[in-house]
Amino acid sequence: LPPPPPPPPLAPAAVSAATESAPAAARAETSASRPTAARATATPSAGLDLPAGGAPPADGQTLSKMSTQRSIPVHPATRAIHFGGLGIGLAAGAAAAAVRRAVSGEQEAHPLLMNEANVERLAATLCRLRGAALKVGQMLSFNDADVLPPAVRTLMERVRNGADWMPAWQLEESLRRELGDRWREHVESFDEDPVAAASIGQVHRATLVDGRRVAIKVQYPGVSDSIVSDLWSMRQLVTYTGVVPPGLYLDRVLEVAREELLEECDYEREAANTTRFKKLLSPYTELAVPAVVPQLSSKHVLTTEWMAGLPIDKAAAEGAIEPAERDRIGERLLWLTLSELFKFRFMQTDPNWSNFLYEPRTRQLSMIDFGACREYDAPFAASYLRLVRACADGEAQREAILHHSRELGFLTGEEGRTMLDAHTRAAVLVGRPFADGEQPYDFGKQTISKRVTGDVQTMLRERLTPPRKEIYSLHRRLNGCFQLASRVGARIRAREILLEIERDHEAAEQAAELAAEEQATA
């Protein structure tokens, strides 16, 4: 499909100033994959392609209807009591379900513990406690939902879509503790109701005294202090319910969750991540990142520029995006995901669809929320790129797939034929969007997750080692990218993007080797 007509670009210097009234405009390009580097100089109002009447930017960032206002339990002991009460409630719910089945004589597919009432009990408790408990649920929902029982998938969808949010008194207490009693002197207005509530914090709109519109993210009190105890309680709960198969290596999942949560609870680290991403993406005018507002930020509060736009999946669902534009968005998102891993080696690993915004007027794509970010070393990125290319080239590259899989720690070398066959089939299937005969790949019609389930079940029974820690966050982002492209309904020239990334990566490796040789001989 031909690209849509291009609006004029904004220069990087103008992007920050323009985000207060409308995001920078994106320029379509002749290349199918690479976002365009900024080349022009513009005033803050240039290139915005404003519609007649000066309509305001799209603003569809709203709190999930599943969220409710409830105070968060702060002390670890209090949170443990909630987990204990949940266990008792689940047992009682299972007993009641057993009685109903005995009386009615009906046979139901789901286990007694995972009846509808218990699923709601689990979801309500995870959304109430937030923090580590909710984070583990969200991790499973993006990484392993298709291998979980249907009732648990329903639970994961529930916890992924929203947490409960703090009442006004607890919010004010948190802001005063972090920013001081006079924090309101910095704001002209502050919306007491949040626009988002997630596993660690909630986000509020505000306007500074200088007129800038900002997003203020406030961490839930007690979350960072309760990580270890919450994860212990979560482990007991999951073991009791038996909903996670042994092949998922729950202890490794919880260990990774602990490390990620400790990092995500540090909003000063997130501020640095945000600033780093803003610099990395500054040459590409169609990809925007908010600026940090340091004077209203701390260890547990983060204030950034407000980014206008709709969550991409919501914009697509509302019919606000034409087919050719859906393809462009999908290509940019895939280019961005692969570039973060293979070019920047620094990836935002939270695939929550609300973290990717689309402004229909200007076709601007914005990224928000950089709490979950990970660096990847050069040998890992190079080996993973070779694995992706082998998967893209299909079954003929079986030996290369197995070799790179052993190199990356997916396999030990001691696996049997059943495991190796399942691993290869799954790898080839996941690599199909990059296959030569599949271009452009129609993500809107893809059924990879359903088709790979049988092999994944086999691998869960047969695999001898858990994935290395880097894989959890990486696959969460890659899976999220595929899911988002599917929701958008994008047809993407994915192989062209992969080959371009591969060429750039090889050129960068050669340049690094040449620089090292010159330094050694200097």
Side-chain angles (χ1 to χ4, degrees):
L1 293 175
L10 279 179
V15 171
S16 178
T19 51
E20 296 308 322
S21 57
R27 182 177 67 82
E29 69 214 48
T30 55
S31 168
S33 55
R34 183 193 296 273
T36 308
R39 294 181 296 182
T41 302
T43 62
S45 60
L48 293 181
D49 193 24
L50 294 175
D59 190 0
Q61 301 169 57
T62 57
L63 193 66
S64 168
K65 293 179 180 179
M66 295 182 180
S67 299
T68 58
Q69 184 188 65
R70 284 192 292 187
S71 61
I72 181 172
V74 175
H75 197 278
T78 307
R79 298 172 68 84
I81 291 172
H82 279 273
F83 275 111
L86 174 61
I88 295 172
L90 293 176
V99 171
R100 285 195 301 272
R101 291 188 190 183
V103 172
S104 66
E106 294 180 0
Q107 295 295 321
E108 298 184 34
H110 55 69
L112 285 172
L113 270 172
M114 287 293 99
N115 61 72
E116 185 176 342
N118 274 356
V119 167
E120 184 54 37
R121 283 188 181 92
L122 271 167
T125 301
L126 296 185
C127 290
R128 171 79 189 278
L129 293 174
R130 285 148 279 191
L134 188 59
K135 181 70 176 180
V136 171
Q138 292 173 339
M139 286 177 66
L140 291 173
S141 75
F142 274 106
N143 275 9
D144 301 292
D146 288 314
V147 302
L148 298 174
V152 181
R153 292 203 295 268
T154 300
L155 167 66
M156 296 298 100
E157 185 70 18
R158 167 75 166 84
V159 301
R160 186 170 65 195
N161 282 338
D164 296 338
W165 44 290
M166 291 184 282
W169 68 266
Q170 200 169 37
L171 172 65
E172 181 68 22
E173 189 177 79
S174 298
L175 286 165
R176 286 177 177 271
R177 181 172 56 250
E178 292 297 318
L179 302 179
D181 293 339
R182 303 175 66 178
W183 72 271
R184 286 186 182 269
E185 294 179 4
H186 295 279
V187 299
E188 182 69 29
S189 63
F190 178 83
D191 192 340
E192 303 287 344
D193 292 336
V195 295
S199 58
I200 295 174
Q202 61 191 48
V203 180
H204 295 258
R205 286 188 186 90
T207 302
L208 304 184
V209 292
D210 62 9
R212 284 181 291 167
R213 298 175 66 221
V214 296
I216 300 180
K217 181 159 69 171
V218 186
Q219 190 172 124
Y220 302 128
V223 164
S224 59
D225 297 330
S226 303
I227 290 173
V228 174
S229 60
D230 275 8
L231 290 176
W232 183 88
S233 298
M234 194 70 178
R235 188 187 188 285
Q236 306 310 307
L237 183 64
V238 170
T239 301
Y240 169 62
T241 58
V243 298
V244 175
L248 282 182
Y249 290 93
L250 179 63
D251 287 340
R252 175 62 67 90
V253 172
L254 296 180
E255 180 184 357
V256 172
R258 181 186 65 82
E259 294 175 359
E260 290 186 2
L261 279 161
L262 288 172
E263 292 179 345
E264 290 183 47
C265 284
D266 183 355
Y267 282 4
E268 292 174 343
R269 178 181 178 276
E270 181 175 350
N273 290 343
T274 305
T275 301
R276 181 174 176 180
F277 256 101
K278 188 172 183 63
K279 182 177 180 179
L280 286 171
L281 297 181
S282 61
Y284 310 107
T285 59
E286 65 268 55
L287 300 170
V289 173
V292 174
V293 181
Q295 65 268 30
L296 276 179
S297 298
S298 70
K299 187 81 170 179
H300 300 121
V301 173
L302 177 62
T303 302
T304 61
E305 292 175 292
W306 180 265
M307 306 303 284
L310 303 168
I312 290 177
D313 63 317
K314 182 177 179 180
E318 292 179 356
I321 309 176
E322 295 298 323
E325 181 67 352
R326 291 171 187 257
D327 297 345
R328 186 189 73 89
I329 290 171
E331 288 182 348
R332 296 305 179 269
L333 291 175
L334 183 59
W335 178 90
L336 176 63
T337 300
L338 297 182
S339 292
E340 288 177 41
L341 175 59
F342 300 121
K343 183 176 182 179
F344 308 144
R345 300 205 310 275
F346 184 60
M347 177 176 273
Q348 190 267 39
T349 58
D350 184 352
N352 191 310
W353 299 310
S354 297
N355 292 340
F356 300 87
L357 306 177
Y358 175 71
E359 167 52 69
R361 304 178 317 145
T362 62
R363 302 188 300 146
Q364 177 76 58
L365 297 173
S366 300
M367 291 178 67
I368 58 176
D369 195 340
F370 296 89
C373 290
R374 177 182 279 274
E375 291 195 72
Y376 298 91
D377 61 43
F380 175 87
S383 184
Y384 199 89
L385 179 56
R386 289 191 289 268
L387 175 60
V388 173
R389 178 62 191 274
C391 294
D393 290 342
E395 183 69 34
Q397 294 298 315
R398 175 188 173 93
E399 291 307 314
I401 291 172
L402 295 177
H403 169 74
H404 297 309
S405 295
R406 287 189 289 268
E407 190 176 55
L408 287 163
F410 289 107
L411 303 172
T412 66
E414 302 297 325
E415 288 80 8
R417 180 79 182 193
T418 301
M419 172 63 183
L420 297 179
D421 288 348
H423 180 86
T424 303
R425 284 194 302 269
V428 171
L429 187 57
V430 172
R432 181 157 295 174
F434 303 102
D436 192 21
E438 300 279 349
Q439 307 305 306
Y441 188 80
D442 193 339
F443 279 86
K445 296 180 180 179
Q446 65 88 15
T447 56
I448 292 174
S449 59
K450 291 184 175 62
R451 295 168 63 188
V452 79
T453 299
D455 287 323
V456 171
Q457 295 284 4
T458 299
M459 289 188 286
L460 289 177
R461 292 192 305 269
E462 300 283 338
R463 71 179 178 181
L464 303 178
T465 184
R468 56 195 288 179
K469 291 181 179 180
E470 300 99 317
I471 294 298
Y472 287 88
S473 55
L474 170 58
H475 283 190
R476 193 161 65 242
R477 172 63 186 276
L478 293 175
N479 190 13
C481 179
F482 277 28
Q483 289 187 38
L484 186 54
S486 177
R487 289 203 169 205
V488 170
R491 298 172 71 248
I492 303 176
R493 290 163 283 187
R495 186 174 182 85
E496 186 174 337
I497 296 174
L498 175 63
L499 296 181
E500 180 186 339
I501 291 288
E502 186 178 47
R503 288 192 297 270
D504 289 349
H505 186 269
E506 291 174 351
E509 281 189 324
Q510 292 171 2
E513 290 174 1
L514 181 60
E517 291 174 1
E518 291 177 348
Q519 185 175 10
T521 57

